[in-house]
Amino acid sequence: MTDPLQALLDASHRLLPDELAATVAVHARGLGARETVLYLADYQQASLLPLPGAGVPARQELPIEGTLAGRAFRRVELLDSAAADGRHHLWVPLLDGVERLGVAELVFAGEPTADSRRQVGAFVTLVAELLVVKDAYSDVFARLRRRRTLTLAAEIQWELLPPLTFGTDRVVITGGLEPAYEIGGDSFDYAVNAATADLLVIDAVGHGLPATVLAGVPVGAYRHARRNAAEVNAAIAAQFGHSLFATALLARLDVDTGRLRWLNAGIRRR
């Protein structure tokens, strides 16, 4: 019998993003799942939105608050429930590292064994990584994740961000943007290199699209120069002159010792 994990991996190389849900459902049958549905969290992380596909059963969007699926997402743990007809539902978090993308729902004829649960965990881990990879090539998942229209400023701002959450056994970094659908000018960035974590939180003057465009320059300069505040200042002055500015918090964390150093001395303020 073909290993479902290997079969999905083999199928993934030329897989279109909008075929992912259907392909996952087909190969999950090798694990005994009669139905498989993928849900992605919306930008505000208030709802879980089902990813459609050929042969994928229709589902409604689920609130994260007050549902079993939402609890699996929030607590980052596999949860299960039995239906009156004897079928068993597994709710498994979709994780890219420690970043929560959504949940997978797998429906079995009866209660799966401990070995089946381990296989499901490995299978869903691959699904989550495929979601991240395929998202780079398509708008399918980005369109699904919006419960309402993003402003142009917010669209650009979200594209500037690193992954919302990064974690190891020594450090966890997480962030978000609010108001998620209308943000402009506020951003963050980070990088983890060996035992050093560098952090940036930035607020560009103004609102909407002009603030977002302005914020893009220091974020880009920060990524280019990492911790060289003089270059960040020079990049803003060169592009926008001295009438526009961005305030920022920069820090460096020594992961081994827990020591945090603030690096704000050179950041230009009004």
Side-chain angles (χ1 to χ4, degrees), residues 51 74 79 94 116 122 139 158 162 164 193 204 209 223-224 229 262:
L51 183 63
R74 288 187 289 108
L79 297 176
L94 288 163
S116 292
D139 298 322
W158 277 99
L164 295 185
N193 301 298
L209 186 57
R223 290 175 178 173
H224 175 65
W262 297 101

Side-chain angles (χ1 to χ4, degrees), residues 159-229:
E159 293 299 318
L160 284 173
L161 293 180
L164 295 185
T165 303
F166 168 83
T168 69
D169 58 350
R170 303 296 299 276
V171 64
V172 174
I173 301 170
T174 190
L177 296 182
E178 283 288 351
Y181 293 91
E182 299 172 352
I183 196 73
D186 301 317
S187 193
F188 66 90
D189 196 40
Y190 64 85
V192 180
N193 301 298
T196 299
D198 289 292
L199 313 168
L200 167 74
V201 178
I202 193 164
D203 176 15
V205 66
H207 303 282
L209 186 57
T212 294
V213 173
L214 174 59
V217 174
V219 169
Y222 175 71
R223 290 175 178 173
H224 175 65
R226 287 289 179 205
R227 303 164 302 280
N228 188 337

Side-chain angles (χ1 to χ4, degrees), residues 8 12 15-22 24 36-41 48-52 73 92-96 99-105 123-142 144-145:
L8 177 59
S12 69
L15 185 67
L16 289 171
D18 56 355
E19 296 174 346
L20 180 62
V24 167
T36 302
V37 182
L38 307 179
Y39 298 78
L40 299 183
L48 293 166
L49 307 166
L51 183 63
F73 176 82
V92 189
L94 288 163
L95 298 175
D96 174 31
E99 181 178 6
R100 299 171 301 175
L101 308 176
V103 296
E105 176 195 11
F123 184 83
V124 172
T125 295
L126 175 58
V127 172
E129 297 305 322
L130 292 178
L131 278 165
V132 174
V133 171
K134 299 300 180 182
D135 189 36
Y137 310 139
S138 174
D139 298 322
V140 169
F141 308 132
L144 177 71
R145 290 180 58 218

Side-chain angles (χ1 to χ4, degrees), residues 36-91:
T36 302
V37 182
L38 307 179
Y39 298 78
L40 299 183
D42 81 303
Y43 280 92
Q44 205 166 21
Q45 295 198 350
S47 299
L48 293 166
L49 307 166
L51 183 63
V56 177
R59 291 288 195 271
Q60 300 296 316
E61 93 175 50
L62 299 172
I64 289 176
E65 193 66 37
T67 63
L68 197 61
R71 192 165 71 182
F73 176 82
R74 288 187 289 108
R75 294 186 178 181
V76 193
E77 61 184 32
L78 186 153
L79 297 176
D80 58 338
S81 63
D85 59 4
R87 298 198 307 169
H88 216 82
H89 293 247
L90 292 186
W91 298 95

